[in-house]
Amino acid sequence: MKFRGKQIYLYGLPGLPLAFLGLPLVVFLPPIYAEEFGLGLTAVGLLLMISRFWDLFSDPIAGYLGDRILTRPGRRRLMIYSGSPLLLVSCYMLFIPNATPGGLYLLVWSALLYTGWSWVVIPYNAWGAELSTDYHRRSQITSVREIYVLAGTITVVSLPFLLNTLKDSEILALIGLVFITLFIISMPGLMLVPDLTSTMRRTGFKEGYNLLAKNKPLKKLLIAYLLNGIANAIPASLFLLYVEYVLQVDESRWILLGIYFASGVIGLLIWLPLARHVQKHIAWSVAMLFSCSVFIWVPWLTPGDFYLFALICLLTGLSLGIDMSIPAAIQADVIDIDRAGGGGERAGLFFGLWGMATKLSLALAIGLVYPLVQLSGFDPALPSTMGITVLALAYGLLPIPFKLTAAWLVWHFPLDSRQLSIIQRSEAGNESEKRLAGKPYVTNNPGLFKHETG
């Protein structure tokens, strides 16, 4: 079955409910467990860091297993459906606790939720990389998916604004229920999206490891991805605290988030045409530099500077869409290097590695920044001037060096559309030789491996 234009929307649809977990896990849940449930910033930061480190191993394992599954319904689809029950149950327990949860409760259910997330999201992202081999078509696929994610995120931040009479924990419970409902509704559409039911030859562990070690673009992209993830996770985890205690406009926090994510959708309309003219990695690098040039002014804002911060949210949000979509498209290009070298179909493993980098960045950000802010003297019950100053500096300045380094690495990324075309032609020639020699190469979907333009 060939991938057609309309199927891109069915593939992207699960991104809508998944957004109901992505933002709340980083922005909403930690301060609610720290303040309303009384666990404290340091405890919540360390517990979530531990659960993230526990989950680091599940991403590459989920990716590796997904690459090796051979079933008639398709390998990516089967992985997503099998991981969904764990994701749904752990979300219910974490977002809708029956009583005031303790530290062990947070640790166990967050670890299980992250594991279920790996089992669903890793094959889901890998699936997107396999739907086309065209350099620019890949950007379109990931962009449609991320537009769904941004739409879901905007909906998430709208709920607290519309339901401002509810406590934060009650809003968190509502978000959990909406996620469960929308996720179940989005799943049947994946049955209409083409999925590989067979694969190229499988590599042994040693051979596969050597191919990864020789893949220089992979290593450069992983490092940039990790650094940029840390730069994004630091302000995300401190946003609610910054708005409440530095700007003192807590009642407008959801409006600010709405501006930021709505701007991300608009930004895609700006950056994607640029990416077609200057290559994807250049467009991503320029977007990161633009974001730094705007965000660096955040620490100097004072209480009541709502409109100035809203302008900063609007401008930095323009870079959000490309920050979400272009890296995944570049990842698909890097996988082609591995495939051309004889690695076979290992998109799951690659996205498992990138998922591991994402979770490591979140773990480092929350586990280091929360204790740092609390050790500086910041106490939500009685915040000191020094504590608030450190909070503002950690929120606004600390991400900058991480993002600048990532932008520098991406700017010098060695893979562009011309080189990708050469690699794909080389791969096609190698596989033709293998067929003539009688070596195994099987697929019931040759359209996924030929050069597509539509």
Side-chain angles (χ1 to χ4, degrees):
M1 183 166 54
K2 185 177 174 59
F3 179 65
R4 303 184 186 278
K6 294 181 180 179
Q7 292 169 326
I8 192 174
Y9 302 104
L10 293 174
Y11 165 74
L13 183 58
L16 180 68
L18 288 174
F20 278 73
L21 284 186
L23 182 70
L25 281 174
V26 179
V27 177
F28 298 165
L29 187 141
I32 289 173
Y33 270 76
E35 297 182 40
E36 191 168 333
F37 294 154
L39 296 182
L41 290 174
T42 299
V44 169
L46 292 176
L47 288 170
L48 290 179
M49 182 174 67
I50 292 171
S51 63
R52 285 288 190 183
F53 278 128
W54 162 263
D55 191 37
L56 286 178
F57 302 100
S58 65
D59 280 352
I61 292 174
Y64 176 81
L65 292 176
D67 289 338
R68 304 180 78 82
I69 287 176
L70 295 175
T71 65
R72 187 174 297 277
R75 50 182 181 161
R76 306 303 180 197
R77 188 182 295 114
L78 179 65
M79 283 286 292
I80 293 172
Y81 287 165
S82 64
S84 295
L86 177 60
L87 182 65
L88 294 173
V89 171
S90 54
C91 169
Y92 182 88
M93 298 301 293
L94 197 60
F95 281 54
I96 317 172
N98 293 326
T100 302
L104 181 61
Y105 186 97
L106 173 62
L107 178 64
V108 171
W109 285 111
S110 62
L112 290 175
L113 185 141
Y114 294 146
T115 303
W117 176 273
S118 297
W119 218 255
V120 171
V121 173
I122 296 303
Y124 179 60
N125 290 337
W127 197 353
E130 294 170 338
L131 291 175
S132 177
T133 59
D134 182 71
Y135 183 81
H136 295 295
R137 177 66 163 163
R138 285 170 170 170
S139 298
Q140 294 173 349
I141 292 171
T142 56
S143 295
V144 168
R145 184 181 67 208
E146 298 310 323
I147 286 175
Y148 275 109
V149 172
L150 287 170
T153 304
I154 293 170
T155 305
V156 168
V157 300
S158 299
L159 290 177
F161 176 71
L162 297 174
L163 305 170
N164 54 12
T165 57
L166 299 179
K167 296 192 301 182
D168 287 348
S169 58
E170 293 172 334
I171 294 174
L172 186 69
L174 178 61
I175 290 173
L177 288 175
V178 174
F179 160 74
I180 292 171
T181 303
L182 292 180
F183 185 82
I184 293 173
I185 292 173
S186 70
M187 285 295 101
L190 293 180
M191 293 299 297
L192 302 177
V193 180
D195 188 10
L196 287 173
T197 57
S198 57
T199 185
M200 296 179 184
R201 72 180 186 89
R202 296 173 176 176
T203 56
F205 178 81
K206 184 177 180 180
E207 181 186 2
Y209 174 81
N210 289 335
L211 283 173
L212 291 178
K214 294 176 182 178
N215 195 330
K216 293 182 179 180
L218 165 65
K219 290 184 283 188
K220 178 170 284 191
L221 187 60
L222 269 178
I223 296 172
Y225 198 71
L226 175 64
L227 293 173
N228 188 54
I230 294 174
N232 292 337
I234 290 173
S237 60
L238 294 176
F239 173 81
L240 294 183
L241 296 175
Y242 175 82
V243 169
E244 181 176 357
Y245 296 101
V246 178
L247 293 184
Q248 298 178 17
V249 291
D250 185 49
E251 70 282 355
S252 302
R253 53 185 173 169
W254 311 119
I255 297 176
L256 293 168
L257 281 174
I259 292 173
Y260 177 68
F261 289 106
S263 179
V265 178
I266 298 171
L268 277 173
L269 303 178
I270 299 173
W271 294 107
L272 279 181
L274 177 64
R276 294 188 69 90
H277 289 88
V278 300
Q279 305 295 330
K280 290 183 289 195
H281 64 284
I282 297 297
W284 183 27
S285 182
V286 170
M288 287 191 283
L289 293 173
F290 173 76
S291 180
C292 288
S293 69
V294 175
F295 204 69
I296 198 170
W297 301 103
V298 166
W300 320 120
L301 299 183
T302 56
D305 282 340
F306 169 79
Y307 292 104
L308 286 175
F309 188 61
L311 177 61
I312 290 174
C313 289
L314 175 67
L315 294 176
T316 55
L318 292 174
S319 300
L320 174 65
I322 194 170
D323 217 22
M324 297 170 64
S325 61
I326 292 299
I330 297 176
Q331 291 162 9
D333 299 336
V334 170
I335 295 170
D336 282 347
I337 299 176
D338 182 74
R339 187 186 294 118
E345 286 300 315
R346 300 200 295 173
L349 175 60
F350 275 73
F351 277 91
L353 293 174
W354 281 303
M356 186 171 64
T358 300
K359 291 175 179 177
L360 180 59
S361 65
L362 291 171
L364 292 174
I366 295 177
L368 297 177
V369 174
Y370 268 34
L372 172 66
V373 170
Q374 188 162 19
L375 289 174
S376 71
F378 177 80
D379 183 354
L382 190 63
S384 65
T385 302
M386 175 61 72
I388 292 176
T389 300
V390 172
L391 172 62
L393 292 173
Y395 177 82
L397 284 188
L398 193 55
I400 300 296
F402 291 101
K403 191 169 280 284
L404 286 176
T405 306
W408 182 83
L409 288 171
V410 172
W411 184 274
H412 296 281
F413 191 69
L415 187 59
D416 58 19
S417 58
R418 183 183 62 84
Q419 292 163 331
L420 180 67
S421 179
I422 294 172
I423 290 170
Q424 290 175 339
R425 288 199 301 268
S426 172
E427 174 201 348
N430 290 339
E431 295 304 334
S432 296
E433 292 177 6
K434 290 176 184 177
R435 289 192 186 96
L436 291 173
K439 295 183 179 180
Y441 172 82
V442 289
T443 175
N444 71 338
N445 193 355
L448 292 178
F449 301 103
K450 69 181 180 181
H451 191 70
E452 297 175 354
T453 57

Short mmCIF file of all heavy atoms in Angstrom, two decimals, residues 189-240:
data_model
loop_
_atom_site.label_atom_id
_atom_site.label_comp_id
_atom_site.label_asym_id
_atom_site.label_seq_id
_atom_site.Cartn_x
_atom_site.Cartn_y
_atom_site.Cartn_z
N GLY A 189 -7.62 5.32 13.06
CA GLY A 189 -7.14 5.91 11.81
C GLY A 189 -5.80 5.37 11.37
O GLY A 189 -5.49 5.37 10.17
N LEU A 190 -4.99 4.89 12.30
CA LEU A 190 -3.68 4.35 11.94
C LEU A 190 -3.79 3.07 11.13
O LEU A 190 -2.83 2.67 10.46
CB LEU A 190 -2.86 4.08 13.21
CG LEU A 190 -2.44 5.32 14.02
CD1 LEU A 190 -1.64 4.90 15.24
CD2 LEU A 190 -1.63 6.29 13.16
N MET A 191 -4.95 2.42 11.17
CA MET A 191 -5.12 1.20 10.38
C MET A 191 -5.09 1.50 8.89
O MET A 191 -4.86 0.61 8.08
CB MET A 191 -6.45 0.53 10.74
CG MET A 191 -6.51 -0.02 12.16
SD MET A 191 -5.27 -1.30 12.46
CE MET A 191 -5.79 -2.55 11.28
N LEU A 192 -5.32 2.75 8.50
CA LEU A 192 -5.35 3.13 7.09
C LEU A 192 -4.03 3.71 6.60
O LEU A 192 -3.93 4.12 5.44
CB LEU A 192 -6.48 4.15 6.86
CG LEU A 192 -7.89 3.69 7.24
CD1 LEU A 192 -8.89 4.82 7.04
CD2 LEU A 192 -8.29 2.46 6.44
N VAL A 193 -3.03 3.76 7.47
CA VAL A 193 -1.71 4.29 7.10
C VAL A 193 -0.80 3.12 6.75
O VAL A 193 -0.75 2.12 7.48
CB VAL A 193 -1.10 5.10 8.27
CG1 VAL A 193 0.27 5.64 7.88
CG2 VAL A 193 -2.03 6.23 8.66
N PRO A 194 -0.08 3.17 5.62
CA PRO A 194 0.77 2.05 5.23
C PRO A 194 1.89 1.79 6.24
O PRO A 194 2.50 2.72 6.75
CB PRO A 194 1.35 2.50 3.88
CG PRO A 194 1.23 3.98 3.88
CD PRO A 194 0.01 4.29 4.67
N ASP A 195 2.13 0.52 6.51
CA ASP A 195 3.15 0.12 7.49
C ASP A 195 3.90 -1.07 6.91
O ASP A 195 3.30 -1.97 6.31
CB ASP A 195 2.48 -0.25 8.81
CG ASP A 195 3.47 -0.50 9.92
OD1 ASP A 195 4.67 -0.20 9.73
OD2 ASP A 195 3.06 -0.98 10.99
N LEU A 196 5.20 -1.09 7.11
CA LEU A 196 6.01 -2.20 6.62
C LEU A 196 5.64 -3.49 7.32
O LEU A 196 5.51 -3.53 8.55
CB LEU A 196 7.50 -1.92 6.86
CG LEU A 196 8.15 -0.87 5.96
CD1 LEU A 196 9.56 -0.60 6.45
CD2 LEU A 196 8.18 -1.34 4.53
N THR A 197 5.46 -4.54 6.55
CA THR A 197 5.20 -5.86 7.14
C THR A 197 6.39 -6.79 6.94
O THR A 197 6.33 -7.96 7.29
CB THR A 197 3.96 -6.50 6.50
OG1 THR A 197 4.14 -6.56 5.08
CG2 THR A 197 2.72 -5.66 6.80
N SER A 198 7.45 -6.28 6.33
CA SER A 198 8.68 -7.05 6.18
C SER A 198 9.84 -6.08 6.17
O SER A 198 9.66 -4.88 6.13
CB SER A 198 8.66 -7.87 4.89
OG SER A 198 8.46 -7.03 3.78
N THR A 199 11.04 -6.59 6.21
CA THR A 199 12.19 -5.71 6.39
C THR A 199 13.39 -6.22 5.61
O THR A 199 13.42 -7.35 5.15
CB THR A 199 12.55 -5.61 7.89
OG1 THR A 199 13.61 -4.66 8.04
CG2 THR A 199 13.02 -6.94 8.44
N MET A 200 14.37 -5.35 5.48
CA MET A 200 15.64 -5.77 4.89
C MET A 200 16.35 -6.74 5.84
O MET A 200 15.87 -7.03 6.93
CB MET A 200 16.53 -4.56 4.65
CG MET A 200 16.00 -3.56 3.65
SD MET A 200 17.15 -2.17 3.51
CE MET A 200 16.25 -1.10 2.39
N ARG A 201 17.52 -7.16 5.42
CA ARG A 201 18.28 -8.08 6.26
C ARG A 201 18.57 -7.44 7.61
O ARG A 201 18.69 -6.23 7.73
CB ARG A 201 19.59 -8.46 5.57
CG ARG A 201 20.62 -7.33 5.54
CD ARG A 201 21.88 -7.77 4.86
NE ARG A 201 22.90 -6.74 4.95
CZ ARG A 201 23.77 -6.64 5.95
NH1 ARG A 201 23.71 -7.50 6.95
NH2 ARG A 201 24.67 -5.68 5.96
N ARG A 202 18.70 -8.26 8.64
CA ARG A 202 18.98 -7.79 9.98
C ARG A 202 20.48 -7.84 10.23
O ARG A 202 21.15 -8.80 9.85
CB ARG A 202 18.25 -8.65 11.01
CG ARG A 202 16.74 -8.58 10.90
CD ARG A 202 16.10 -9.59 11.84
NE ARG A 202 14.65 -9.48 11.82
CZ ARG A 202 13.85 -10.29 12.50
NH1 ARG A 202 14.35 -11.27 13.23
NH2 ARG A 202 12.55 -10.13 12.44
N THR A 203 20.98 -6.84 10.87
CA THR A 203 22.40 -6.82 11.21
C THR A 203 22.60 -7.45 12.59
O THR A 203 21.74 -7.36 13.47
CB THR A 203 22.92 -5.38 11.24
OG1 THR A 203 22.13 -4.61 12.16
CG2 THR A 203 22.82 -4.74 9.89
N GLY A 204 23.78 -8.06 12.78
CA GLY A 204 24.14 -8.54 14.10
C GLY A 204 24.49 -7.37 15.01
O GLY A 204 24.66 -6.24 14.57
N PHE A 205 24.62 -7.66 16.30
CA PHE A 205 24.87 -6.58 17.27
C PHE A 205 26.18 -5.86 16.98
O PHE A 205 26.23 -4.63 16.94
CB PHE A 205 24.90 -7.16 18.69
CG PHE A 205 25.21 -6.13 19.74
CD1 PHE A 205 24.21 -5.28 20.21
CD2 PHE A 205 26.51 -5.99 20.25
CE1 PHE A 205 24.50 -4.31 21.17
CE2 PHE A 205 26.80 -5.03 21.20
CZ PHE A 205 25.78 -4.20 21.67
N LYS A 206 27.25 -6.62 16.76
CA LYS A 206 28.56 -6.00 16.54
C LYS A 206 28.57 -5.19 15.25
O LYS A 206 29.06 -4.05 15.22
CB LYS A 206 29.65 -7.08 16.49
CG LYS A 206 31.06 -6.51 16.36
CD LYS A 206 32.11 -7.61 16.39
CE LYS A 206 33.51 -7.03 16.26
NZ LYS A 206 34.55 -8.09 16.30
N GLU A 207 28.03 -5.76 14.18
CA GLU A 207 27.99 -5.06 12.91
C GLU A 207 27.13 -3.80 13.01
O GLU A 207 27.50 -2.72 12.52
CB GLU A 207 27.42 -5.98 11.82
CG GLU A 207 27.36 -5.33 10.44
CD GLU A 207 26.66 -6.20 9.43
OE1 GLU A 207 26.20 -7.30 9.81
OE2 GLU A 207 26.57 -5.79 8.27
N GLY A 208 25.98 -3.93 13.69
CA GLY A 208 25.10 -2.78 13.84
C GLY A 208 25.73 -1.69 14.68
O GLY A 208 25.60 -0.49 14.37
N TYR A 209 26.44 -2.08 15.74
CA TYR A 209 27.11 -1.09 16.58
C TYR A 209 28.20 -0.36 15.81
O TYR A 209 28.36 0.86 15.94
CB TYR A 209 27.71 -1.77 17.82
CG TYR A 209 28.54 -0.82 18.68
CD1 TYR A 209 27.93 0.04 19.58
CD2 TYR A 209 29.93 -0.80 18.56
CE1 TYR A 209 28.67 0.91 20.35
CE2 TYR A 209 30.69 0.08 19.33
CZ TYR A 209 30.05 0.92 20.22
OH TYR A 209 30.80 1.79 20.98
N ASN A 210 28.95 -1.09 15.01
CA ASN A 210 30.03 -0.46 14.23
C ASN A 210 29.47 0.55 13.23
O ASN A 210 30.06 1.61 13.00
CB ASN A 210 30.84 -1.53 13.49
CG ASN A 210 31.70 -2.35 14.43
OD1 ASN A 210 32.06 -1.89 15.52
ND2 ASN A 210 32.03 -3.57 14.04
N LEU A 211 28.30 0.23 12.64
CA LEU A 211 27.68 1.18 11.72
C LEU A 211 27.26 2.45 12.44
O LEU A 211 27.43 3.56 11.93
CB LEU A 211 26.45 0.54 11.06
CG LEU A 211 26.73 -0.47 9.94
CD1 LEU A 211 25.43 -1.14 9.51
CD2 LEU A 211 27.38 0.23 8.74
N LEU A 212 26.73 2.31 13.65
CA LEU A 212 26.35 3.49 14.43
C LEU A 212 27.57 4.32 14.79
O LEU A 212 27.55 5.55 14.72
CB LEU A 212 25.62 3.06 15.71
CG LEU A 212 24.23 2.45 15.56
CD1 LEU A 212 23.69 2.04 16.91
CD2 LEU A 212 23.28 3.43 14.89
N ALA A 213 28.65 3.65 15.19
CA ALA A 213 29.85 4.35 15.60
C ALA A 213 30.49 5.14 14.45
O ALA A 213 31.11 6.18 14.67
CB ALA A 213 30.86 3.36 16.18
N LYS A 214 30.32 4.65 13.22
CA LYS A 214 30.91 5.31 12.06
C LYS A 214 30.02 6.43 11.49
O LYS A 214 30.46 7.19 10.63
CB LYS A 214 31.17 4.29 10.95
CG LYS A 214 32.23 3.25 11.30
CD LYS A 214 32.35 2.21 10.20
CE LYS A 214 33.38 1.14 10.56
NZ LYS A 214 33.47 0.09 9.51
N ASN A 215 28.81 6.52 11.98
CA ASN A 215 27.85 7.49 11.46
C ASN A 215 28.07 8.84 12.13
O ASN A 215 27.45 9.17 13.14
CB ASN A 215 26.42 6.98 11.71
CG ASN A 215 25.40 7.72 10.88
OD1 ASN A 215 25.57 8.89 10.56
ND2 ASN A 215 24.31 7.03 10.55
N LYS A 216 28.96 9.66 11.56
CA LYS A 216 29.30 10.95 12.16
C LYS A 216 28.12 11.92 12.22
O LYS A 216 27.95 12.62 13.22
CB LYS A 216 30.48 11.57 11.42
CG LYS A 216 31.78 10.78 11.60
CD LYS A 216 32.94 11.46 10.88
CE LYS A 216 34.23 10.66 11.09
NZ LYS A 216 35.38 11.29 10.41
N PRO A 217 27.29 12.03 11.17
CA PRO A 217 26.12 12.90 11.28
C PRO A 217 25.20 12.51 12.43
O PRO A 217 24.61 13.37 13.08
CB PRO A 217 25.43 12.73 9.93
CG PRO A 217 26.53 12.39 8.99
CD PRO A 217 27.45 11.51 9.79
N LEU A 218 25.07 11.19 12.70
CA LEU A 218 24.24 10.74 13.82
C LEU A 218 24.77 11.29 15.13
O LEU A 218 24.02 11.83 15.95
CB LEU A 218 24.22 9.21 13.86
CG LEU A 218 23.71 8.57 15.17
CD1 LEU A 218 22.25 8.91 15.38
CD2 LEU A 218 23.93 7.07 15.15
N LYS A 219 26.09 11.16 15.35
CA LYS A 219 26.66 11.62 16.61
C LYS A 219 26.53 13.13 16.78
O LYS A 219 26.20 13.63 17.86
CB LYS A 219 28.13 11.19 16.69
CG LYS A 219 28.30 9.69 16.86
CD LYS A 219 29.74 9.26 17.03
CE LYS A 219 30.47 9.26 15.71
NZ LYS A 219 31.83 8.67 15.84
N LYS A 220 26.77 13.87 15.69
CA LYS A 220 26.64 15.33 15.77
C LYS A 220 25.20 15.74 16.05
O LYS A 220 24.94 16.63 16.87
CB LYS A 220 27.15 15.96 14.47
CG LYS A 220 27.01 17.47 14.43
CD LYS A 220 27.73 18.08 13.25
CE LYS A 220 29.23 18.11 13.47
NZ LYS A 220 29.93 18.94 12.45
N LEU A 221 24.26 15.07 15.39
CA LEU A 221 22.86 15.41 15.59
C LEU A 221 22.39 15.04 17.00
O LEU A 221 21.62 15.78 17.62
CB LEU A 221 22.00 14.69 14.55
CG LEU A 221 20.52 15.06 14.52
CD1 LEU A 221 20.34 16.54 14.22
CD2 LEU A 221 19.77 14.22 13.49
N LEU A 222 22.86 13.92 17.52
CA LEU A 222 22.48 13.52 18.88
C LEU A 222 22.94 14.54 19.91
O LEU A 222 22.20 14.89 20.83
CB LEU A 222 23.08 12.15 19.20
CG LEU A 222 22.22 10.91 18.88
CD1 LEU A 222 23.00 9.65 19.22
CD2 LEU A 222 20.92 10.94 19.67
N ILE A 223 24.18 15.01 19.76
CA ILE A 223 24.71 16.00 20.71
C ILE A 223 23.91 17.30 20.62
O ILE A 223 23.52 17.89 21.65
CB ILE A 223 26.20 16.25 20.45
CG1 ILE A 223 27.00 14.98 20.72
CG2 ILE A 223 26.71 17.40 21.32
CD1 ILE A 223 28.46 15.08 20.31
N ALA A 224 23.65 17.76 19.39
CA ALA A 224 22.88 18.99 19.21
C ALA A 224 21.47 18.82 19.76
O ALA A 224 20.91 19.74 20.38
CB ALA A 224 22.84 19.36 17.72
N TYR A 225 20.89 17.66 19.54
CA TYR A 225 19.54 17.37 20.00
C TYR A 225 19.48 17.40 21.53
O TYR A 225 18.54 17.94 22.12
CB TYR A 225 19.13 16.00 19.46
CG TYR A 225 17.65 15.72 19.47
CD1 TYR A 225 16.80 16.38 18.59
CD2 TYR A 225 17.10 14.79 20.34
CE1 TYR A 225 15.44 16.11 18.57
CE2 TYR A 225 15.75 14.51 20.33
CZ TYR A 225 14.92 15.18 19.45
OH TYR A 225 13.58 14.92 19.45
N LEU A 226 20.50 16.83 22.18
CA LEU A 226 20.55 16.82 23.63
C LEU A 226 20.70 18.23 24.19
O LEU A 226 19.99 18.63 25.13
CB LEU A 226 21.72 15.94 24.10
CG LEU A 226 22.01 15.92 25.60
CD1 LEU A 226 20.84 15.32 26.36
CD2 LEU A 226 23.29 15.13 25.89
N LEU A 227 21.61 19.01 23.62
CA LEU A 227 21.85 20.37 24.11
C LEU A 227 20.62 21.25 23.90
O LEU A 227 20.23 22.02 24.80
CB LEU A 227 23.05 20.97 23.39
CG LEU A 227 24.41 20.33 23.71
CD1 LEU A 227 25.50 20.91 22.81
CD2 LEU A 227 24.77 20.51 25.17
N ASN A 228 20.01 21.14 22.73
CA ASN A 228 18.81 21.93 22.48
C ASN A 228 17.65 21.49 23.37
O ASN A 228 16.84 22.32 23.81
CB ASN A 228 18.41 21.81 21.01
CG ASN A 228 17.29 22.75 20.63
OD1 ASN A 228 17.38 23.96 20.84
ND2 ASN A 228 16.22 22.22 20.07
N GLY A 229 17.60 20.19 23.67
CA GLY A 229 16.57 19.69 24.58
C GLY A 229 16.72 20.26 25.97
O GLY A 229 15.73 20.61 26.63
N ILE A 230 17.96 20.34 26.46
CA ILE A 230 18.21 20.95 27.77
C ILE A 230 17.80 22.42 27.76
O ILE A 230 17.16 22.92 28.70
CB ILE A 230 19.69 20.81 28.16
CG1 ILE A 230 20.05 19.33 28.37
CG2 ILE A 230 20.00 21.61 29.41
CD1 ILE A 230 21.53 19.09 28.61
N ALA A 231 18.16 23.12 26.68
CA ALA A 231 17.82 24.54 26.56
C ALA A 231 16.31 24.75 26.57
O ALA A 231 15.82 25.76 27.09
CB ALA A 231 18.42 25.11 25.28
N ASN A 232 15.55 23.83 26.00
CA ASN A 232 14.10 23.96 25.98
C ASN A 232 13.46 23.52 27.29
O ASN A 232 12.44 24.07 27.72
CB ASN A 232 13.51 23.13 24.83
CG ASN A 232 13.87 23.69 23.47
OD1 ASN A 232 14.18 24.86 23.33
ND2 ASN A 232 13.85 22.84 22.46
N ALA A 233 14.05 22.52 27.94
CA ALA A 233 13.45 21.95 29.14
C ALA A 233 13.61 22.87 30.36
O ALA A 233 12.76 22.87 31.25
CB ALA A 233 14.06 20.59 29.44
N ILE A 234 14.69 23.63 30.41
CA ILE A 234 14.92 24.51 31.57
C ILE A 234 13.80 25.54 31.71
O ILE A 234 13.15 25.62 32.76
CB ILE A 234 16.30 25.18 31.48
CG1 ILE A 234 17.40 24.15 31.70
CG2 ILE A 234 16.43 26.30 32.52
CD1 ILE A 234 18.80 24.68 31.46
N PRO A 235 13.53 26.37 30.69
CA PRO A 235 12.43 27.33 30.86
C PRO A 235 11.06 26.66 30.95
O PRO A 235 10.16 27.19 31.61
CB PRO A 235 12.55 28.22 29.62
CG PRO A 235 13.30 27.42 28.62
CD PRO A 235 14.23 26.56 29.40
N ALA A 236 10.89 25.51 30.28
CA ALA A 236 9.60 24.82 30.35
C ALA A 236 9.28 24.40 31.78
O ALA A 236 8.15 24.54 32.26
CB ALA A 236 9.59 23.62 29.43
N SER A 237 10.29 23.88 32.48
CA SER A 237 10.08 23.39 33.85
C SER A 237 9.95 24.53 34.86
O SER A 237 9.42 24.33 35.96
CB SER A 237 11.22 22.45 34.25
OG SER A 237 12.46 23.12 34.20
N LEU A 238 10.44 25.72 34.51
CA LEU A 238 10.40 26.85 35.44
C LEU A 238 9.35 27.90 35.07
O LEU A 238 9.21 28.91 35.77
CB LEU A 238 11.77 27.54 35.50
CG LEU A 238 12.93 26.74 36.09
CD1 LEU A 238 14.23 27.52 35.99
CD2 LEU A 238 12.65 26.36 37.55
N PHE A 239 8.62 27.68 33.98
CA PHE A 239 7.72 28.71 33.46
C PHE A 239 6.70 29.17 34.49
O PHE A 239 6.52 30.39 34.72
CB PHE A 239 7.01 28.20 32.20
CG PHE A 239 5.95 29.13 31.69
CD1 PHE A 239 6.29 30.23 30.92
CD2 PHE A 239 4.60 28.92 32.00
CE1 PHE A 239 5.31 31.11 30.46
CE2 PHE A 239 3.63 29.80 31.55
CZ PHE A 239 3.98 30.89 30.77
N LEU A 240 5.98 28.24 35.10
CA LEU A 240 4.93 28.62 36.04
C LEU A 240 5.49 29.39 37.22
O LEU A 240 4.87 30.35 37.70
CB LEU A 240 4.18 27.37 36.52
CG LEU A 240 3.37 26.61 35.46
CD1 LEU A 240 2.64 25.44 36.08
CD2 LEU A 240 2.39 27.54 34.76
#
